[in-house]
Amino acid sequence: MNELVRCARALVGGALREDYAFVVRDGAIAAAGDFSEVRSWASDLPARSYPANRLVVPGFVNGHSHAYQILLRGWADDWTFAKWRSEALYRVVPYLTPDDVHWIFVAAFSEMLAAGITTVAEFFYLNGAGNAHAEAALLAAQETGIRIVFARTWMDAQYAPAQFRESVDLAAERTLDLQARYPWANVCVAPHSLHAASPDMIRAAAAFARSQNCAMHVHVAEASYEGVQTMQAHGATPIGLLDRLDALDERTIAIHAIYISEDERRLLGERGAAVIHNPMTNQYLGDGICDVTALRSYGVRVGLGTDADVKPSLIDEMRAASYLQKILRTDGSALGAGDAYAMGTREGAAALGVACGDLIAGCAADYVVLNANAIDPWTPPVNALVYRAQDAWVQAAFVGGVRVFTGEPSPLSVRARAELTRIAQRVLP
């Protein structure tokens, strides 16, 4: 859809702009600025206008998600990580059919869109039997309209369920197949972790990413035991091991990176790698606190993710990211609202390598319309968004200029909720 979007109030680069406008052509923002300057670029286009009681913001960027884990919430709460993984994750997810995956993902993606999330990086590891499950997830993304970065997992650890495991050759062949058939899905490679993918698999995945010019997502140092394991087995820290395996460069997107040293943070910055911080899941699973303030000081690109999707909300993640840094440093000025907002929008997009996350020329026309009635007149909107907003403020969401959330559940999402209940009744213990 091509049109001129006029906003009485918009957040651009985290700052409030009044009477701001942008021109949408072929799914991207072709021009943006003050309405008086931009309207001449769109004399041939219809106009859409939002009044002062609406705040237009870029769509939120979810840098890490496992959508099928919405099945685990509620009944597998308050467990240790080891119990949660063995008695919930491994007990349920391996037995999902492609049809199950489709409806679970429709439900999860619909929740994300209703919360203003327009881009999601989905870390997908149900690949042992081939690409049928992955294709079901991609169908869900296509049907809901969410922008997806599909991080196709490679795993070969013998302790993992057979439904997750592949050889290096099979994983590469199947990933190439998805890249060829789903060019819109930003398919990239994701060796699961330093404990669930062998060194040979991680090295091969990094080489694959270089050859295909795609990203490489990998879980790193989510728990303290990983550093002990890598030191005992390889004589290296987690980040050091990635570097030794030629798997640490500008394509590397490290998920979590909690238990790493100052030298490892510096190395991440030197190599141009990115980190996705998952503050709500880190609290839910008792993982720990990632020092994102230190990471950003070394120039590391840091985004935010909803990970276990207990409640897929980037508003919650931005708020938690800020509060956790204040606690970690016992400093109320640590990681302010503007920085947390940037991590959930333009910095998260930069971490993923996706052209979105702001309302400027060259970005995808992904934006969200918020009800601004609850914002006090004296409060900077970015502060209100990070510290006070609720997902219910989201009135509409657009991806590539197409409206994908209207403020009410779609018929597709309503059916997905019913199917989700049916699936849960069948597979949950």
Side-chain angles (χ1 to χ4, degrees):
M1 181 175 293
N2 298 331
E3 63 184 5
L4 172 69
V5 180
R6 184 179 184 181
C7 317
R9 304 172 77 207
L11 283 182
V12 184
L16 177 64
R17 295 285 297 272
E18 296 183 340
D19 205 15
Y20 187 79
F22 53 92
V23 178
V24 178
R25 291 188 185 274
D26 300 322
I29 298 177
D34 293 338
F35 172 71
S36 60
E37 300 171 354
V38 172
R39 59 184 173 183
S40 62
W41 287 72
S43 57
D44 61 323
L45 298 180
R48 185 189 299 270
S49 182
Y50 293 103
N53 67 347
R54 295 291 183 265
L55 179 68
V56 179
V57 303
F60 304 135
V61 178
N62 185 356
H64 183 68
S65 162
H66 299 292
Y68 21 49
Q69 291 182 16
I70 66 171
L71 269 182
L72 310 185
R73 61 193 184 190
W75 67 274
D77 298 339
D78 305 327
W79 292 359
T80 64
F81 177 79
K83 180 179 178 181
W84 177 87
R85 184 176 67 178
S86 64
E87 298 186 27
L89 180 68
Y90 287 176
R91 188 172 179 176
V92 172
V93 174
Y95 305 102
L96 299 176
T97 68
D99 188 61
D100 293 339
V101 167
H102 169 251
W103 288 114
I104 294 167
F105 276 56
V106 168
F109 291 162
S110 296
E111 286 188 26
M112 291 180 197
L113 290 169
I117 295 168
T118 54
T119 295
V120 59
E122 185 60 34
F123 199 112
F124 189 89
Y125 45 80
L126 194 50
N127 303 306
N131 281 340
H133 291 82
E135 292 181 65
L138 292 174
L139 176 61
Q142 188 174 46
E143 289 178 338
T144 57
I146 200 166
R147 188 179 302 281
I148 192 167
V149 174
F150 194 75
R152 190 193 182 281
T153 305
W154 294 15
M155 292 178 70
D156 61 355
Q158 288 304 304
Y159 74 80
Q163 294 90 335
F164 298 166
R165 298 196 309 265
E166 300 169 290
S167 68
V168 170
D169 289 345
L170 264 182
E173 177 186 327
R174 292 166 175 172
T175 306
L176 282 170
D177 176 62
L178 289 178
Q179 287 181 329
R181 292 192 295 117
Y182 300 91
W184 52 268
N186 302 296
V187 177
C188 57
V189 65
H192 182 275
S193 59
L194 293 168
H195 53 84
S198 66
D200 287 345
M201 177 169 268
I202 292 172
R203 188 185 293 276
F208 181 99
R210 287 190 293 272
S211 69
Q212 297 304 118
N213 193 27
C214 67
M216 188 194 81
H217 296 231
V218 57
H219 294 104
V220 179
E222 180 177 3
S224 58
Y225 68 77
E226 184 175 300
V228 175
Q229 287 179 345
T230 59
M231 187 60 69
Q232 290 176 344
H234 307 285
T237 63
I239 302 302
L241 181 56
L242 284 176
D243 197 43
R244 181 189 297 175
L245 296 172
D246 296 323
L248 191 65
D249 57 26
E250 70 281 357
R251 294 178 181 81
T252 306
I253 300 174
I255 312 301
H256 298 297
I258 299 172
Y259 294 94
I260 61 176
S261 67
E262 204 68 12
D263 286 343
E264 289 177 282
R265 296 185 188 100
R266 185 181 297 107
L267 185 58
L268 283 165
E270 290 173 354
R271 296 291 188 265
V275 167
I276 300 299
H277 177 39
N278 305 276
M280 293 300 290
T281 294
N282 292 162
Q283 293 175 87
Y284 173 72
L285 294 178
D287 290 336
I289 304 175
C290 174
D291 193 342
V292 297
T293 304
L295 286 167
R296 295 174 83 239
S297 74
Y298 290 115
V300 179
R301 295 164 289 147
V302 181
L304 298 174
T306 60
D307 197 0
D309 291 319
V310 176
K311 181 190 174 192
S313 166
L314 251 288
I315 291 174
D316 285 358
E317 301 293 345
M318 289 187 284
R319 185 173 301 138
S322 176
Y323 286 171
L324 285 175
Q325 294 306 295
K326 296 176 191 300
I327 291 171
L328 180 67
R329 295 178 174 271
T330 60
D331 179 0
S333 68
L335 199 78
D339 289 333
Y341 170 83
M343 289 163 59
T345 53
R346 62 187 184 277
E347 289 187 19
L352 296 181
V354 180
C356 61
D358 212 344
L359 303 178
I360 59 175
C363 282
D366 299 354
Y367 64 97
V368 172
V369 182
L370 302 176
N371 183 346
N373 287 320
I375 299 177
D376 298 319
W378 60 87
T379 301
V382 71
N383 292 32
L385 176 57
V386 171
Y387 296 134
R388 295 187 52 229
Q390 304 171 27
D391 294 334
W393 288 17
V394 175
Q395 303 293 294
F398 293 76
V399 174
V402 177
R403 190 165 184 168
V404 291
F405 175 66
T406 65
E408 298 291 338
S410 69
L412 182 68
S413 69
V414 170
R415 180 180 174 187
R417 288 296 306 176
E419 295 287 348
L420 187 65
T421 299
R422 175 186 60 79
I423 294 164
Q425 290 172 340
R426 192 188 85 242
V427 303
L428 296 189

